[in-house]
Every structure is written in structure tokens, then in C-alpha cells.
Amino acid sequence: MAEDARLRGIDLGVWAEFDTATGTSYSLLFRMLDDAAAAAVLWDRFLSSSQCAVIAEGLGVGGEQARSLTALLAGLRELGKLVPDFQRRERGAWQRLGEDLVAGAGRISPLPVEVDRSSMHVAFGVLGAFGFAAGGNSSPAVRCAQVVGGMGGRFLQVDVSGGAAGRRVAATAGGLAWQELRARYAALVRYLTGAVTVPERVSVQAAVLITGVGMLAGRLSGKRSHWLDAAHMPAFGAAEHFTDARARAVEAVEDAELERVKLEPVPFTTAHPHLKGPNDLQTSLMTQLPGIVAEYGVGITVIADGTGSGKSVGALEVGRICNRGCGTAGVAWLMPTTATTDAAWEMLEGYVHAHRPERVTVTLVHGRSGLNAAYTDTRPTTEVAGGQSGPVGALSVLMPDGTYPAGTPAPGEDGAAGPDGGMAEPTGAGEREMTAPQGFLRSQDAALLAQFSAATVDQAQMAVLPVELSVLRLLALSGKTVVVDEAHALTPYSHLQLLRLLGWLGSLRTPVVLLSATMPASTSSAMVAAYLAGAGHDPGQLASADYAPGFPGWLFADVATGTAHRMQEAARIRHSRAQSRPLRMVMRPVTYRRLGDVARAVEPDERLAVIDRTIGQVAREGGCAMVGCATVADSQDTYRHLRRSWTGEPGELMLLHARFPGWVREQRTAFVRRALGPAGPRPDRLVVVTTSMLDTSLDIDVDMMVSDLASIARLLQRAGRLARFYLSWQNTGRRPPWWTPDHVPHLTVLQPLGTAGTTAIPAEWRTVEPAFLLHATAALLQAKNHDLQLDVPGDVQDLVEQVHGAHSPFADETANLRRLLAGHLERTMAEEHLSAVHLIPPHDRVSALADLHRQYLTAAQAATRLGTLPRRLLPCYLTAGGELALDRAGTHPLPGQRSLSTRQVRHILQHTVPVPAAWVARRGLQHRPPAGWDQHPLLADLVLLPTPARDAAHTEHYGRHRLRMDDELGLIHDKVN
């Protein structure tokens, strides 16, 4: 078939894009061919071989025809523009149409037709004419039509006897001339893509991936810069244009940094230069797993090991093995918090760089990634940034009066300090090229598409919520090995979403790695079962299967048979002995009382007094200590109390919590990671008062630790920062003088008591963790006479099971614990129900693809965590001249213009603080952002916290909530009853 050889040729006057500035229109046929060419190039250069195999299997055709069919469907996504309603939207373009089209337009509805729905309806008829069977929801014509419509962002329902019926399309989409031209356009796309085979089936998985490819192809070819040049230099015919479109698509994919890159094999110590060699668990993975993967194929790996034992390195090795053996390419690393995700990004970026690729993009994906200067800017190497030797220099960027030092640019401006406290310098000698994205992958909804990415787990969970572009997230995740770090650290609400995601990843044949130091056996088994059920195994049989690895150890469950392959026992025991270190957990009864007036007398049995006495040795003799507080308010009270009697340097006592302005929080976190990390330089004395920010996945070490009562899992995670380098630092002289050779690191746990002498959990603490877990942990430590001596990692799993396991022995110990457990289970069921309401169905329960968006939500409505979504508060200062500024001195005025640069936006956001929405629900006119920001997606919903520059004690009222930004303590919240 050669449409261009017809006597009259083919009408190219139908437009898809129109540039009002130049009056240039771009042919719809050429745009369709652009989409088809981009999809074909994405198949060749972006999709992993495993994704291609899922599509081919789901279509029941060979790989080449699967590629052609994918390109064909992508080429049809704009076909809905070949209707009179759309074509008349630009008067100049309408006047260029052929007379037969204008005459055959018929009555044009004044209501605009949704292009995605229009494309779906006309594609249904076109596909039927190609021979695609039309029947139920899963028939090829119906499902492929939904794929075409779904490329706009969400799946729509095909009404076969209504809007998609031939007579209805004929009545609303133009007469015979329009129908004939649509058929000719579609036939020409089919001819040039080579999609000659008609699939007899279309699986849900194949449909989802093809839709994602079409979305991505449309984004690339729909860029104005992509089509405008082609419009100014049109080809003579469709075949010539298609050849040129493929060349331009290759360039577009390369420019978007989407092309797959193969990391060449390197020795273990090159990939992980901070290690002298693999430990026993890592060696076991590297020797056992390749043979298992080669024989059984894709599967899910669970690595359970103590904190600081090298689980991350083990996961990277699993990723390397699975990518090579399962046809995937890259790693998606999922973390529970933004702080741990930042650390994971640096680890992953270092791992990729160690392979010396020409360039591979590593993206950071979370709501505050743009505030991470290490990610958004050029940064010094470790050698350059590591020059600061103490905490005072690292924390002195913000002056006590809330100003910046003279001559120091504000964060986000040229030459401003990055989060590591060092000055950002141009790339030069001694530095290496960063792997952060440059353009396309910068956008939040595209960043997961990078071959390597570190993201918060909620970014991935959005893939199983009925939100726009959720399919694009499934496409992004399914092509690589997905690592879920700290897999235990989710609420029941989020945990159910993770289970659904694991099911979908199993159905898409995506390797998954779960990492945890404190995961109960029942949780591990449930996650593996969810993955295998998604891959097609019987959920009933999986329910009774044991998929818990020995602790410490690993397990691999393959999709082919559902068999659990475990670490060899001899290697597991050897690893446990090699990692063994002692730990004491001592529980001290305290009276809980807020500080209030800093000058008030604190009783000896109060929580604050016990903390003061416990860390006194560090204050007097040196060392590094951490105080883990239950809430931000408790951390502020603790810091104020300790500061009163502190005799060391001011910078040696540090407060770190989530309610500092973003740039301050990032800077302090980076300093702690460097100062307390394995490389140092380690300060002689440092006490960090914090919340849960430093609990997980941070490679830091303190000599002493005090913690408010928390669940045993959280305490063990927190203890993972206590003497973390115990084994590697033995006899190195890096410990304080009071650390004797036989010293056993101990964690002091503060147990709040009520008037009856029993555990009494403050009301504010119950929002952090369920009260039952706190009471059960207290009961466990009481059973050990308040002094628990344990071996890490040997005793960890047993302790976790006693409190968090499916059959906790403390659940029936007292009537109070039974009551608390019942309430805990009731709340868990309620959370799971709320979570299930918004989840998309499993793949095997999808009839029509529209089921995936049946409860269509916006991203703002679809919560991945239970509770009210936070609002961003922007502290600012009212100068004497009546203007608002970001600092008390007024040297950085608040820009009010409508057009702001990216640097200005990031500068503003770096000063924001996340707060519960309820705190600022009742805001006044003075709390609204400048009018020029009202249309900016990142700034429009900011809430201002205006403070007179000369009044450091000013408190702003938001209804019953009172907020004050203290330059030393961060945001202080109070509530009027």
C-alpha cells in the first residue's frame, strides 16, 4: 500500500498543532507519524527487554509485531483531532481544509469534544475495520481503543453501543469525507509501522505498558520545539516524513536522557569503594543467587539483617544479578522519608558513577527534591566539602537574629552554601560530573522514568491509585529492579498500598528487593505472597506459606514456581557471628512534664533531668550523643533545658527536627551525616537533640543515646545509630576517653509513669505510634528487669516478634494491654479499609481498563499516608518600610511579581516549613501569598507567617493555633483551648 501514490495524494491540511505566534499549523498525519516513530524508538532504546516480553506475551505475537502494534496504537492517540469540532478551534487552520471536508462537516456541536475520548471512539471503529475483534471489555478492539484514549492520562469507558457506535461517530465526528480520511490516516500509520498482525488477545499488563509508552511518546513529539521545525520544513510525503521522524525521535529520546545504558561489570571493591570486600551475606547473594535466577527467572528477594550491616550493598548486588538475568535495566530505590531518600540518592549516584558510564542520569524523586542543593546544583566532591572540622562553622550560615552573615548569599542564590555547609564551586579539578538530570526528567511526574532513581515510597504508591498518569509510574517502575528499603516502616494505610503495588510488580515480572532490620516474619510473608499472587499464584495456597528469611539472612521467591530459596545455613550463622556486637537497653522511669518557663526548677525524677544526667558524661568528657524525642515540642523543650547548663561550645549542642526552614534542616542533616559518618572528621563533642529524623537508613554513629519510649522496632532502628561502627572502630582511638575496652553501648529508654506508677503515654505521643506498641515494649523491658542485654543481630528478630509479631506474647498479659490491642486492631482495620477504597484493583480483577480510573482522583486527593496533607508555611519578616523579606535584615525581599525564575522559586521554597493543615486552616488576609503567585503551582497555596523584623517574640494567630518562628528552636506551636 502506498497512499502517497494515489492520483490525488492525501490531504495534509488537517492540523494537530497550531502556533499562534507564527500562524503555523502542523499536519495531523505528520503528528501521528511522529508519535508512532517515537514509540518505536522508545521500544528500542528505553524499554527493557523484560517489558518488551510482557507486551509481546500479552498480545500473543512476536517481539517485532509487538513493537509495531505499540507504535500503531501510539500513532492513533491524536486521531480524535480529525473531527470538525476540533478542527474549527483555529479559524486560520479551518480555512485551509479541503472543500469536501468543510462541506461534509455537518452540524458541529458548540461544546468542545474531549480529544482523548474522541480518539478512543474513532479508534474503536478503525481497529474494527482492521480486523480487531469487538466484543466484551477484554476484546482486542475495546481494550486497544481504551489504550488509545488512556494515553491522555487516564482510562475511559468505551460505550460500544453509545458514543463509540458507528452511527454515533458518523453523527458527531463528520460525514463520509471525514470518516474516509480517518481511515486513510490510520491505514497509512499501520502500513508505515508494519503492524500487519491482528492480536487475538490484549492482556491488562500489556495494555498498561503500551499506554505508558504512548503517553511518553506523545510528550516527546508534542513539544513545540519538536514539531515546529518539521512544520517549517515539511516532507514531500508520509514515508519520507516517517523516516525523518524516527531520526528526530532518536534525538528526542537522547535529549530526554531516557536511553538505556549498560553498566559495564566492575570488581566489587570498585563498585563499593568504601568496602574492603563483601561480607558473608553479600558473598552468599553473589554466589547463590545468579544460579537461581538463571534457572527460575524473576522473583522477589528479602534481605533481613541488622542495622549498618550492608543491606544496601546487598540490594545493589541483587539488582545487578536480576537486571542481567531477568532483562530489566536500572534500579528504583524506595525509601520512607525525604531525608533517607536524599541519602539513598547519594549512595545510588556514587554506585552508578563507580562504573564510569559516559553519562547515566540518577534522579531524586520526592516533594522537596528541588530544595536539595546537592541534586539541583553542582557540588564539591567529598574532598572539597570535607574541609570543615567542626559543627560551629557548618551551622553558622544562619545568624542568631535570623539574618545571613555579611557577604553570604542566601541559599538558592549564586555561590550560596549547599546543604553540606561548603560553598558550591564550578566543576573542575578534583571533582566529578554529577548524574542529576538536565531537562525532561526534572519534572516530578517524569523523574521516575530515569534508569536509576531514588524516591520516597509514596511516589511509587501513586502507581496503584486512580490518579492521572498512574500508568506512567507503572511503566517507570516495571523496567528495573525495585528496592523497597525499610519495608517495615509503613502504617497499615500505606502498607496495604505497598501490597497492591507488589502485586502489580509481580504481574509485570519486575524484580523486587525488600530490605529491613526489624520486619516481623508475618509481614515478610505477606509481602512476598502479595507479589507472587500478582504473578499468578493461588492466594489461598500462599496464605499458609512461610516466606520469612532467617535472621540475619536472605530469601528469594521465584515467580515460576513460588519456591522460597534461602541463604545457606552455614553462611548465615557465619555472618551472624561476624556481625555480632553487644547492646544494652536500659529503661528509666520518669515523670513527663513540659518545660514551660525555661527558668523553672526541674524535679530530679523528671524526664528532662534524667536526660541531663545521662548525657552529662559526654558534656564533661567528650564524645557524641543523640537524644531521640517523641515530638518536635519535646525536642525543643529538651534543647532549651540542656542549653541552660551547657558548658561546651554553642555549636556542640544541636537541635534538629522537621520544623526548621527547609534549607536550615537540609544543612544540619547534611552536617550530621558528615560529622557522625564513617569518614568524619568526627567532632570531639556533639549532642544532637532530634526526633525520628535520624532513626533509619543513615550511616551515622554516636557513642551514647537516650530515647523516649517507642516501639521495640523503632528502638532497635534508633539503636542502629548507636556504636554503629563498633566492629570497624575497635582499637582505633576514635571513641571518647570514657569508652573502655570492655564498654557495652547502651540505649537509655525513658518510660513515662503516671500517678499509679504504671506506664502513662502522653497524648501527643499517641499520634506517632499506636499506644499498644509502646505499652507492649514497656512490658517487654519490665520483664527483663528494665535492663535488656542483647546480641545484635542475633536477638533482634525474637524481640521484634514479641511485640510486633502476629501472636505477641504480651497481648494478653493484662486487661489494659488486651484493651489497647483491640483498639489497635480496630484502627488498623479502619486504615486498611480507607486505603482499599482508593486503590486500583489487582490486574486479574480488571475487566475494562477504565476500572483503573473508576474513582478518578487528583494527586491532591489521593493520599498515600493517612491524615491531612500538610501545608507549607513561609516564615517572612515585615521590615520597617512595610515590605516582606525572607530575613530579618530585609536584604532578601519577598518577590511579588508573577514571573519568577526557577532559582527564585527554589529560594522561596527552601524557607518553607511543612505544618499540619489544621494549624493554618483559619488564616487571614495577611497570611496570603503575594497576588502575583496565585497561578503558580508551587507557590499559590503557601501560607505566610509574617513577623515584625524587630520583634523576635511575635506570635501569629491562626484561629486557636498560635505559631512563632524562633531562630534557634525552629517553629513553635501552641494551641488555645
Side-chain angles (χ1 to χ4, degrees), residues 139-186:
S139 64
V142 172
R143 189 152 280 176
C144 287
Q146 286 190 298
V147 166
V148 171
M151 290 176 186
R154 59 190 178 99
F155 289 115
L156 306 168
Q157 183 65 49
V158 177
D159 187 357
V160 174
S161 59
R167 65 182 186 281
R168 184 69 174 272
V169 171
T172 59
L176 186 61
W178 294 82
Q179 182 178 348
E180 180 185 350
L181 191 58
R182 285 195 296 269
R184 292 179 66 189
Y185 273 19

Side-chain angles (χ1 to χ4, degrees), residues 11-66:
D11 189 347
L12 297 180
V14 178
W15 67 279
E17 309 290 348
F18 190 84
D19 184 56
T20 55
T22 62
T24 303
S25 62
Y26 189 53
S27 167
L28 174 61
L29 176 61
F30 285 179
R31 175 59 202 278
M32 291 170 65
L33 292 174
D34 287 348
D35 288 345
V41 171
L42 286 169
W43 180 286
D44 297 334
R45 295 171 176 258
F46 169 73
L47 290 186
S48 67
S49 59
S50 65
Q51 290 174 308
C52 295
V54 169
I55 295 174
E57 179 184 346
L59 296 176
V61 299
E64 190 59 34
Q65 273 301 295

Side-chain angles (χ1 to χ4, degrees), residues 222 417 734 833 848:
R734 304 188 71 175
H833 172 73

Side-chain angles (χ1 to χ4, degrees), residues 621-881:
E621 304 176 39
C624 298
M626 187 173 91
V627 181
C629 304
T631 67
V632 170
D634 289 326
S635 71
Q636 292 169 331
D637 281 356
T638 302
Y639 175 83
R640 291 168 61 214
H641 177 70
L642 295 178
R643 183 186 56 186
R644 184 172 65 176
S645 59
W646 187 254
T647 57
E649 294 293 329
E652 295 175 341
L653 177 63
M654 178 180 174
L655 177 63
L656 175 59
H657 56 69
R659 294 200 186 120
F660 279 108
W663 71 275
V664 177
R665 182 176 62 251
E666 299 293 341
Q667 189 181 75
R668 295 190 178 195
T669 302
F671 165 74
V672 169
R673 287 175 52 203
R674 185 177 70 248
L676 301 180
R682 192 174 180 87
D684 294 330
R685 177 177 20 247
L686 179 65
V687 174
V688 181
V689 180
T690 185
T691 54
S692 60
M693 285 189 63
L694 305 180
D695 283 0
T696 59
S697 296
L698 294 179
D699 200 21
I700 59 175
D701 172 298
V702 295
D703 307 306
M704 180 182 293
M705 183 175 290
V706 185
S707 171
D708 283 327
L709 180 64
S711 68
I712 192 65
R714 177 164 291 194
L715 290 177
L716 289 169
Q717 285 286 343
R718 193 165 285 177
R721 289 356 91 180
L722 174 61
R724 186 180 184 90
F725 312 134
Y726 180 89
L727 299 174
S728 59
W729 281 9
Q730 283 183 329
N731 304 316
T732 62
R734 304 188 71 175
R735 296 296 181 189
W738 51 266
W739 187 288
T740 60
D742 59 347
H743 178 78
V744 176
H746 67 273
L747 166 62
T748 301
V749 180
L750 308 177
Q751 176 196 18
L753 297 183
T755 54
T758 58
T759 303
I761 308 300
E764 297 86 349
W765 293 15
R766 298 172 190 172
T767 61
V768 180
E769 287 190 290
F772 167 75
L773 297 180
L774 303 185
H775 281 275
T777 299
L780 170 64
L781 295 177
Q782 284 175 331
K784 304 294 183 180
N785 296 318
H786 294 76
D787 190 345
L788 176 62
Q789 303 194 36
L790 62 149
D791 169 77
V792 177
D795 296 333
V796 169
Q797 191 65 31
D798 179 61
L799 293 173
V800 171
E801 297 294 344
Q802 289 193 57
V803 173
H804 299 268
H807 304 287
S808 167
F810 292 97
D812 295 326
E813 186 171 279
T814 66
N816 183 50
L817 277 174
R818 288 195 295 272
R819 178 182 59 80
L820 290 170
L821 176 61
H824 172 52
L825 295 177
E826 183 177 342
R827 283 188 294 273
T828 296
M829 292 176 64
E831 286 193 30
E832 290 176 344
H833 172 73
L834 288 173
S835 182
V837 166
H838 286 169
L839 283 172
I840 66 173
H843 77 94
D844 56 354
R845 294 185 183 178
V846 174
S847 176
L849 292 177
D851 293 342
L852 299 178
H853 290 105
R854 191 73 66 187
Q855 303 179 67
Y856 177 65
L857 302 173
T858 65
Q861 295 168 329
T864 55
R865 302 168 194 241
L866 189 61
T868 305
L869 296 177
R871 295 294 298 267
R872 287 192 179 276
L873 187 72
L874 178 62
C876 49
Y877 301 92
L878 190 64
T879 65

Side-chain angles (χ1 to χ4, degrees), residues 268 271-272 274-275 277-287 289-290 301-306 308-322 331 333 347 351 481-485 512-516 553-556 567 575:
F268 180 89
H272 314 286
H274 59 291
L275 299 177
N279 62 29
D280 290 299
L281 189 145
Q282 294 157 359
T283 299
S284 174
L285 284 167
M286 295 163 62
T287 54
L289 195 56
T301 306
V302 183
I303 302 178
D305 202 358
S309 59
K311 295 188 296 296
S312 297
V313 171
L316 289 172
E317 289 301 310
V318 173
R320 178 183 59 81
I321 294 166
C322 288
V331 172
W333 201 285
M347 176 270 300
Y351 171 79
T481 298
V482 175
V483 179
V484 185
D485 206 344
V512 171
V513 186
L514 305 176
L515 306 180
S516 181
W554 60 266
L555 170 144
F556 177 83
M567 181 180 181
H575 175 70

